[in-house]
Structure formats: structure tokens, C-alpha cells
Amino acid sequence: MPVIKTSSPHSAPVAENIFWLRVENAARQYGFVLLVLLLLAGFCGLFSKGVFSNAHLASTDGKVDVDYERFGRNQSDMDLKLTLNAPPGENYTVTLGGQFMDTFEINALYPQPWRFSSHDGSMTLEFHDQPEGGQHTLWLSIQPRRWGNVVSTLRINQQPAVSLTQFIYP
């Protein structure tokens, strides 16, 4: 029959501190839960594209709808979709203001405006008249150049501006 050696607590080669044993136990128990919660938040779009990130905003008169991303990452592409109702046969302008031009770089814009101008930190895009009138959609692919909270404004013609609040992660 083999002999099993047992050692007394006084002969352990490593001194154990009960405080650090409790810290390790708490980190093991709660760290896993925290990790799972962070992963779920990321999958749902809390840090970038996803369910929590996608937002829809409409103007008070219902003539402008904006689909955008509430959360983004610095130097990552973001999408902005602007839908507006324009009367048939009239030109219309879209003005991007607030912190938009200081924060974002426009990578793609469709359809292309026939003229654009910049004044006092805002950019105005002018589009030709549309004989059919009705809904027009403007798609922008933008990329943040800095991180933090960003408040942008979008104005169609001379109507009241729509304000977008976004948070850009570093």
C-alpha cells in the first residue's frame, strides 16, 4: 500500500495571504461575468455598428428623415442616410453644420451635388431640381477624424435644422 505524504500548514513552501486569495477568487467569479457583458454589449452595437448604434431621426415637420450611427470609432467608416421630400421642379440645398465638418471626413457622397460651398464651418450642397419631386435620398460615407461627443446639424433649404448627437470612441 503506497504511503501518502501530507504536509502541515506550517511547512508550505509559499506563504499565502488570505486577502489576495479573496481578490483572486472575486476576479475569477466577477471577471467572467464582466467579460461576457462587454462582449454582449459589443455584439449589440454599443461600441460601433449594431442594434444600439443605429438611430433614426425625423424633423418636426416630417420632411426630413436621417438614419445614422449613434456610436462610432475614430478612423472607421460610418454611414449617414438622409431622406427628404422635395417639391417637383425645385432645387434643394443640404447644409451640414455644427461640429460635422470639424469632426468628419466625407469619403463618399451619392448623388453628387451640382455645386457645393463652405462658409463659417458648414458646407452647403446644392442639388438640381427633380422633375418627379417626392422623396430624395442622400447617402454619405463618413470617417471621424477625432473622438468624443459630436453634435452636428443638418438643414434642408431654409427649414429648421435637425441635430444629431454621436459619440466617437478612440
Side-chain angles (χ1 to χ4, degrees):
M1 184 178 240
V3 177
I4 300 174
K5 289 185 176 182
T6 60
S7 61
S8 67
H10 301 292
S11 67
V14 177
E16 295 178 349
N17 186 329
I18 192 71
F19 171 76
W20 291 113
L21 289 173
R22 288 185 180 147
V23 168
E24 178 195 7
N25 187 38
R28 196 174 335 122
Q29 286 179 338
Y30 301 116
F32 180 75
V33 172
L34 182 63
L35 178 65
V36 169
L37 290 176
L38 282 173
L39 286 173
L40 286 175
F43 287 137
C44 291
L46 187 60
F47 305 116
S48 189
K49 298 180 189 291
V51 177
F52 293 138
S53 181
N54 294 336
H56 179 82
L57 187 64
S59 65
T60 54
D61 59 2
K63 293 185 179 182
V64 179
D65 290 324
V66 182
D67 293 310
Y68 67 102
E69 297 174 40
R70 247 184 234 124
F71 305 109
R73 291 185 317 247
N74 193 18
Q75 301 296 317
S76 293
D77 292 336
M78 298 175 67
D79 297 321
L80 180 71
K81 178 183 170 188
L82 181 65
T83 306
L84 59 117
N85 289 321
E90 288 187 18
N91 293 345
Y92 61 93
T93 61
V94 176
T95 304
L96 306 170
Q99 297 173 324
F100 189 88
M101 295 308 297
D102 292 333
T103 304
F104 297 105
E105 178 179 323
I106 299 174
N107 293 333
L109 171 66
Y110 184 79
Q112 293 290 316
W114 66 277
R115 184 167 60 178
F116 64 91
S117 60
S118 178
H119 186 275
D120 290 334
S122 64
M123 183 166 66
T124 302
L125 309 168
E126 297 181 35
F127 294 90
H128 279 298
D129 62 330
Q130 301 294 321
E132 68 275 1
Q135 281 196 341
H136 301 284
T137 303
L138 177 66
W139 286 277
L140 288 104
S141 174
I142 56 178
Q143 187 178 56
R145 293 184 294 215
R146 68 177 179 86
W147 58 275
N149 200 37
V150 180
V151 179
S152 305
T153 58
L154 301 171
R155 181 185 312 269
I156 307 300
N157 295 333
Q158 297 303 318
Q159 298 179 9
V162 175
S163 291
L164 311 175
T165 302
Q166 297 169 294
F167 186 79
I168 308 301
Y169 291 102

